[in-house]
Amino acid sequence: MVEKSIHEINRRIKDGSVNVVTAEEMVGIVAELGADGAAKEVDVVTTGTFGAMCSSGVWVNLGHSEPPIKMQKVWFNDVEAYTGLAAVDAYIGVTQLSESRGMEYGGAHVIEDLLRGKSVDVHATAYGTDCYPRKQLDTTITLDDINQAVMMNPRNCYQKYNVATNSSNRTLHTYMGALLPDYGNATYSAAGVLSPLSNDPNYETIGTGTRIFLGGAQGYVTGAGTQHDPTNKFGTIMVQGDLKKMNPDYVRAATFPGYGTSLYLGIGIPIPIINERVALATAVSDADISTNILDYATASRARPKLGQVTYEQLKSGTIDINGREVPTSSMSSFKVARKIAGELKDWIKRGEFFVSLPVDRLPTVGVFKPMLQTQETPLVGDIMSGNVVTIKQDASVYEAAKKIIESEFNHLPVVSNNNSLVGIVTSWDISKAVAEDKFDLVEDIMTKDTVKAISGETIDIAAYRLDQNNVSAMPVVDKNDQVIGIITSDDISKLLARRC
Amino acid sequence: MKIRINVAPDIVVTPIIAEVILETRTLLNISQAHIDSTKGEIIADVPNDEFNKIKAALTSRGAKVTVMDKPISRDEDECVECGACVSVCPVKVFTFGEDWSVNLDEGKCIQCGTCIEMCPHGALTLEQ
């Protein structure tokens, strides 16, 4: 059994005799020499990843103004930062959007602008106290002007991530990019063979205190990340580093159209090869790492799982989903991940970066729990009108008009002879037909592409769909497309009015 | 080569593309067409050696023809080569190279604009 101490490895880094390889190179070395041989031969394996890391942000300390202010609210280039702390501390979160520019500019852009040396406008308000009398502040600063700018990210570096696809008939705009209708594409993230936590899945060397490459500078792992889910092999880490020392090549603001802003961040973690077990773990390849394909068309935290694929399959450019060949896109850059693993390797070789063992291990068991919701969310079935009035598709416009007047419903779901939904007709459609002197059948004037709901959906989802499609009512259907009710925006407003 | 054909409202109702194809006996592959009551804009592929003939036929019917040298362009400073664009392009303009660079074959672009909405770094723009 090969055992190496961290001091021994750091001594080799110091005298220049250290043998460092990337996690990609290690796959072949272990295949050739075995874990035992590789553990003797290799001292450090470097990993890297470069992708969107939404749970990121920077703590800044602006120094005191004259007269002093205890900022109650603060904005950087119109992006609000959190300041529920002492006077001039604030946290700029990467996904916070600009109040004037919306999704095109967010906290991530403020951070990148600061790092690139650009000036940033600061606006702050306060209630004023005896010790902090100032109530308003406007100034313009650069990164050099502020005391600390510490990147502190509660969750980065997912061990692996789900693959996203879309079974619905419209494009979805998500944090996994645009998902085209009808399984038009599938997107994935994480670096596979180079993914830091996948190369140390038992968290033997990556833990609290581990020195890492963070945004082009030296940073640290401060502990397990939020949503750390080791039991399901979805581990995460919390990290910290000095923004002032980072390199803008590895700290890049992004906008996912229709979703919002995020930060592409480069992280590289060195794995000291302290024994054969650690060596063997770093031999993991793209073919060894599998992940789930999820259908993002279901707007629920329990998205249906459509299958499992390996990173090797994902990187081939297409994957098989229920017999279809679906093109894949990576949302993180493997090229930059490789560059990071290479750069970290060079730092270690040149004696500029020393490896460390964690002062505390990350939990190796535990799961990410769903939210406890104490207030019940009403379902479509709870508030829909069950006594819905439908009309046959071959009925006349006159009959439809009569039904609307009698029933006081503004919308009539149109059904076929076997009662399944084929369209919807509104009082407006009828008025239009009358105005144009068109007394045809209902099926000639109805809207065919009906937006519909099911009774088990939550009201929030129904309201979102009404809004997205710009309609005011949806027929509620069962699994055989038979109309069992109707839900209108009025029903939803009444529910909200009752709550208040 | 890729061309843009602009049509004024007064001739939107005339089947000029069909007339031009019949007159020049040249295939013209339409990849995008946006026509409303005020104007029409068509993006099409034409064989290089037939371009002058087609242009003359279109121009004589009142259409404006512009050659699109670069249907799409990429801001190299913004692009991080993640490859988000790869899976959404219907004509495979974007491909991964051996070293995981994202290569761009701009000549293939039909200006559908799907990649513009996909790119997280706003690195892609269509030529106007």
Side-chain angles (χ1 to χ4, degrees):
Chain A
M1 182 83 184
V2 184
E3 292 280 348
K4 255 183 279 180
S5 77
I6 209 80
H7 302 293
E8 202 179 327
I9 296 171
N10 277 335
R11 224 174 10 248
R12 287 183 197 164
I13 295 176
K14 204 169 177 186
D15 69 23
S17 68
V18 68
N19 186 15
V20 197
V21 301
T22 68
E24 241 182 323
E25 293 161 342
M26 189 63 166
V27 180
I29 295 172
V30 173
E32 191 186 325
L33 305 177
D36 174 72
K40 281 185 198 138
E41 191 71 25
V42 176
D43 300 310
V44 184
V45 169
T46 60
T47 61
T49 187
F50 182 72
M53 305 208 190
C54 294
S55 262
S56 303
V58 171
W59 284 108
V60 290
N61 178 283
L62 302 179
H64 288 300
S65 61
E66 182 61 32
I69 184 169
K70 175 175 156 325
M71 303 188 302
Q72 193 189 2
K73 282 190 175 258
V74 64
W75 293 262
F76 294 85
N77 283 349
D78 231 7
V79 176
E80 192 173 4
Y82 180 73
T83 181
L85 311 117
V88 287
D89 286 322
Y91 185 75
I92 307 168
V94 302
T95 66
Q96 188 73 271
L97 303 183
S98 153
E99 290 183 8
S100 48
R101 296 169 66 187
M103 284 189 193
E104 74 177 66
Y105 191 91
H109 297 82
V110 174
I111 292 167
E112 187 181 333
D113 280 350
L114 281 171
L115 185 54
R116 288 186 184 277
K118 293 188 185 163
S119 303
V120 167
D121 292 333
V122 182
H123 172 69
T125 57
Y127 45 81
T129 70
D130 288 344
C131 44
Y132 294 106
R134 191 175 192 132
K135 290 191 173 180
Q136 194 154 336
L137 177 91
D138 283 283
T139 182
T140 301
I141 53 140
T142 66
L143 191 58
D144 288 340
D145 303 321
I146 58 185
N147 291 305
Q148 284 83 20
V150 180
M151 182 176 281
M152 208 184 258
N153 306 338
R155 179 172 69 257
N156 280 174
C157 230
Y158 259 109
Q159 198 160 347
K160 57 182 182 180
Y161 207 77
N162 296 314
V163 181
T165 190
N166 170 18
S167 69
S168 80
N169 60 5
R170 70 177 186 98
T171 300
L172 301 176
H173 298 282
T174 74
Y175 62 85
M176 293 295 282
L179 300 174
L180 303 181
D182 199 21
Y183 306 106
N185 65 336
T187 60
Y188 66 97
S189 204
V193 61
L194 282 175
S195 161
L197 290 177
S198 283
N199 278 280
D200 183 16
N202 303 311
Y203 319 129
E204 288 192 63
T205 70
I206 303 174
T208 303
T210 302
R211 190 182 289 118
I212 61 172
F213 173 113
L214 181 64
Q218 291 190 17
Y220 299 90
V221 174
T222 57
T226 54
Q227 295 183 198
H228 181 59
D229 189 5
T231 300
N232 294 309
K233 298 282 170 219
F234 276 88
T236 72
I237 51 174
M238 203 174 277
V239 302
Q240 178 180 327
D242 187 350
L243 182 70
K244 292 191 178 199
K245 294 183 179 150
M246 290 184 189
N247 176 344
D249 285 352
Y250 304 114
V251 182
R252 304 288 294 271
T255 292
F256 293 98
Y259 166 75
T261 60
S262 187
L263 185 73
Y264 272 58
L265 180 63
I267 296 184
I269 304 190
I271 298 174
I273 304 300
I274 48 173
N275 58 42
E276 293 161 38
R277 203 175 47 247
V278 170
L280 186 62
T282 56
V284 72
S285 71
D286 283 330
D288 302 325
I289 308 169
S290 58
T291 185
N292 295 328
I293 308 166
L294 300 187
D295 183 4
Y296 276 58
T298 303
S300 158
R301 66 183 174 207
R303 297 191 176 102
K305 183 180 152 182
L306 303 173
Q308 221 178 24
V309 281
T310 65
Y311 274 84
E312 187 180 39
Q313 289 167 321
L314 287 166
K315 286 183 182 172
S316 76
T318 55
I319 53 169
D320 182 290
I321 302 179
N322 301 330
R324 291 161 187 256
E325 201 179 71
V326 177
T328 57
S329 263
S330 163
M331 298 306 294
S332 58
S333 170
F334 191 70
K335 187 182 179 186
V336 181
R338 222 181 222 177
K339 198 172 143 198
I340 290 167
E343 195 162 329
L344 181 54
K345 179 174 147 177
D346 290 343
W347 287 0
I348 296 170
K349 274 185 167 173
R350 289 200 301 263
E352 295 165 6
F353 187 106
F354 292 90
V355 292
S356 55
L357 274 185
V359 292
D360 242 330
R361 298 273 299 270
L362 303 181
T364 51
V365 287
V367 293
F368 167 43
K369 290 186 294 188
M371 185 188 285
L372 168 72
Q373 280 162 289
T374 53
Q375 204 169 12
E376 228 172 280
T377 320
L379 303 178
V380 166
D382 300 335
I383 67 159
M384 70 178 189
S385 306
N387 58 341
V388 59
V389 179
T390 61
I391 187 149
K392 289 272 193 286
Q393 66 188 111
D394 53 5
S396 68
V397 169
Y398 172 75
E399 280 171 84
K402 224 170 126 197
K403 272 201 168 175
I404 283 182
I405 296 298
E406 284 165 6
S407 68
E408 293 181 5
F409 279 115
N410 263 323
H411 302 78
L412 298 180
V414 183
V415 293
S416 64
N417 278 329
N418 63 8
N419 271 326
S420 53
L421 182 70
V422 292
I424 191 161
V425 65
T426 66
S427 43
W428 193 84
D429 295 327
I430 292 170
S431 310
K432 190 172 159 228
V434 171
E436 290 173 357
D437 228 3
K438 257 185 12 194
F439 288 94
D440 303 331
L441 299 180
V442 165
E443 63 187 357
D444 300 319
I445 66 158
M446 71 185 183
T447 301
K448 289 193 181 88
D449 201 3
T450 324
V451 186
K452 53 197 177 183
I454 56 170
S455 67
E457 284 178 307
T458 63
I459 298 299
D460 313 60
I461 298 291
Y464 183 72
R465 194 173 315 123
L466 284 172
D467 185 43
Q468 284 281 301
N469 292 284
N470 207 11
V471 295
S472 54
M474 291 187 288
V476 182
V477 293
D478 65 11
K479 57 180 185 298
N480 300 319
D481 233 16
Q482 303 277 304
V483 179
I484 56 169
I486 189 160
I487 181 161
T488 66
S489 43
D490 271 359
D491 296 331
I492 296 172
S493 322
K494 278 181 200 147
L495 175 84
L496 291 177
R498 274 207 307 278
R499 274 190 195 166
C500 300
Chain B
M1 88 177 42
K2 203 136 281 174
I3 59 169
R4 176 192 286 115
I5 307 162
N6 286 95
V7 185
D10 51 324
I11 52 168
V12 158
V13 290
T14 322
I16 63 163
I17 301 290
E19 286 175 12
V20 166
I21 293 172
L22 287 174
E23 181 192 308
T24 60
R25 305 196 59 74
T26 302
L27 293 178
L28 180 150
N29 184 26
I30 297 176
S31 51
Q32 292 277 314
H34 302 284
I35 294 160
D36 60 28
S37 56
T38 59
K39 60 182 180 311
E41 184 183 286
I42 296 154
I43 311 289
D45 250 325
V46 295
N48 285 359
D49 44 0
E50 305 284 352
F51 168 68
N52 286 335
K53 211 160 76 181
I54 288 185
K55 185 181 175 180
L58 282 164
T59 315
S60 71
R61 286 171 173 80
K64 214 178 119 206
V65 178
T66 350
V67 177
M68 299 174 71
D69 300 324
K70 230 178 164 187
I72 186 160
S73 61
R74 173 166 69 178
D75 182 337
E76 303 296 339
D77 289 337
E78 287 298 333
C79 176
V80 301
E81 300 185 80
C82 61
C85 48
V86 173
S87 75
V88 295
C89 176
V91 289
K92 297 196 165 38
V93 165
F94 310 97
T95 47
F96 276 117
E98 285 277 299
D99 64 345
W100 291 94
S101 293
V102 176
N103 301 325
L104 177 73
D105 186 352
E106 26 190 59
K108 284 185 183 170
C109 175
I110 57 167
Q111 289 211 318
C112 69
T114 316
C115 59
I116 311 294
E117 282 264 292
M118 182 65 160
C119 178
H121 295 271
L124 299 169
T125 37
L126 296 180
E127 188 194 274
Q128 287 310 309

